[in-house]
Amino acid sequence: MLVFVAVAYGKTEKEYKTDIDETLFYKIGQGDKDAFMMLYEQTKSMVFSYALSVLHNREDAEDAMQETYLKIRAAAHLYKPQGKPMAWVFTITRNICLMKYRMQQRQSFMELSELDKKMDFHQIEDREDRIVLETAFSILSKEECQIIMLHVVSGLKHREISQLLKMPVSTILSKYHRGIKKLRKNLEGRL
């Protein structure tokens, strides 16, 4: 519902942000399986959506999501509380996605069956968010999708997204607002 509300009503991430208890990372670092499952349940849709926005392939996004949680489990003891746990999670996800993307670029050919794959948003449980995401991936640029996901879903500020994606803040702001405007225009009448 986060994505839908942000696009349809212009609400900010502060009003609909998922709060992650930062002590979960300490507990995960200590081997607490319940804390790990709680973190996974709270963040799985966000991590999958972001990975999908980077990779544009459901299977690769699922692999990246799995690798993200394995990395979180292995590195949770290194987490330093700074008030932005999703920024840390998305940094891990982004690095894994970029590594996968670079590996794909090194391959000299693409199988024909891969060209016919349609993105599947079955992991997104909320109907409205699924519609918004399907629309976003069909009409927005890859960068616009990433910026909107990072801002709306994770609650990162535009300045933080600028640092993460290594782009000027003004570029982030214009791509965000242009993307939201495209989504609103396209979704009018669909929902």
Side-chain angles (χ1 to χ4, degrees):
M1 192 64 137
L2 287 171
V3 179
F4 173 72
V5 169
V7 172
Y9 302 109
K11 299 292 183 183
T12 64
E13 76 284 351
K14 291 176 188 165
E15 296 173 68
Y16 293 97
K17 188 170 101 176
T18 303
D19 290 322
I20 307 299
D21 181 5
E22 289 186 281
T23 62
L24 287 176
F25 295 104
Y26 174 77
K27 293 174 184 175
I28 293 167
Q30 300 296 312
D32 186 334
K33 292 177 184 173
D34 292 333
F36 181 75
M37 287 307 297
M38 183 180 293
L39 177 72
Y40 175 78
E41 288 299 322
Q42 289 178 343
T43 62
K44 67 182 178 184
S45 292
M46 293 182 280
V47 170
F48 177 75
S49 298
Y50 179 63
L52 192 59
S53 76
V54 174
L55 297 169
H56 284 264
N57 178 295
R58 181 180 54 86
E59 287 84 12
D60 289 342
E62 288 172 349
D63 289 346
M65 185 172 94
Q66 181 178 3
E67 289 178 40
T68 296
Y69 287 106
L70 290 173
K71 181 77 168 180
I72 288 170
R73 193 167 179 183
H77 66 284
L78 300 173
Y79 176 76
K80 304 274 188 260
Q82 296 176 356
K84 290 286 185 181
M86 284 308 296
W88 188 71
V89 171
F90 278 120
T91 300
I92 292 170
T93 307
R94 179 178 181 265
N95 290 339
I96 289 169
C97 289
L98 290 177
M99 194 168 54
K100 283 189 162 306
Y101 182 75
R102 286 184 196 117
M103 287 173 52
Q104 290 173 352
Q105 294 300 317
R106 289 185 190 136
Q107 295 175 346
S108 59
F109 66 94
M110 183 183 283
E111 294 178 22
L112 217 47
S113 63
E114 285 188 62
L115 293 172
D116 295 332
K117 284 183 186 171
K118 186 175 183 334
M119 278 197 272
D120 181 4
F121 294 89
H122 74 280
Q123 297 250 359
I124 310 300
E125 295 167 3
D126 187 87
R127 178 185 171 274
E128 287 86 7
D129 275 353
R130 191 171 30 253
I131 291 170
V132 171
L133 289 171
E134 287 171 351
T135 303
F137 282 98
S138 67
I139 66 169
L140 298 180
S141 73
K142 196 174 194 177
E143 287 177 341
E144 289 169 335
C145 281
Q146 287 178 21
I147 291 166
I148 289 171
M149 290 297 113
L150 287 169
H151 184 68
V152 172
V153 178
S154 74
L156 293 178
K157 292 181 169 92
H158 296 295
R159 177 183 37 79
E160 295 167 323
I161 297 169
S162 168
Q163 293 169 348
L164 185 65
L165 299 180
K166 295 175 179 42
M167 291 181 180
V169 175
S170 59
T171 303
I172 297 296
L173 285 167
S174 67
K175 287 182 183 284
Y176 174 79
H177 291 295
R178 189 179 320 122
I180 292 291
K181 193 181 278 187
K182 283 183 201 175
L183 282 172
R184 279 188 188 137
K185 185 177 179 181
N186 192 284
L187 289 170
E188 287 176 0
R190 282 187 73 186
L191 296 174

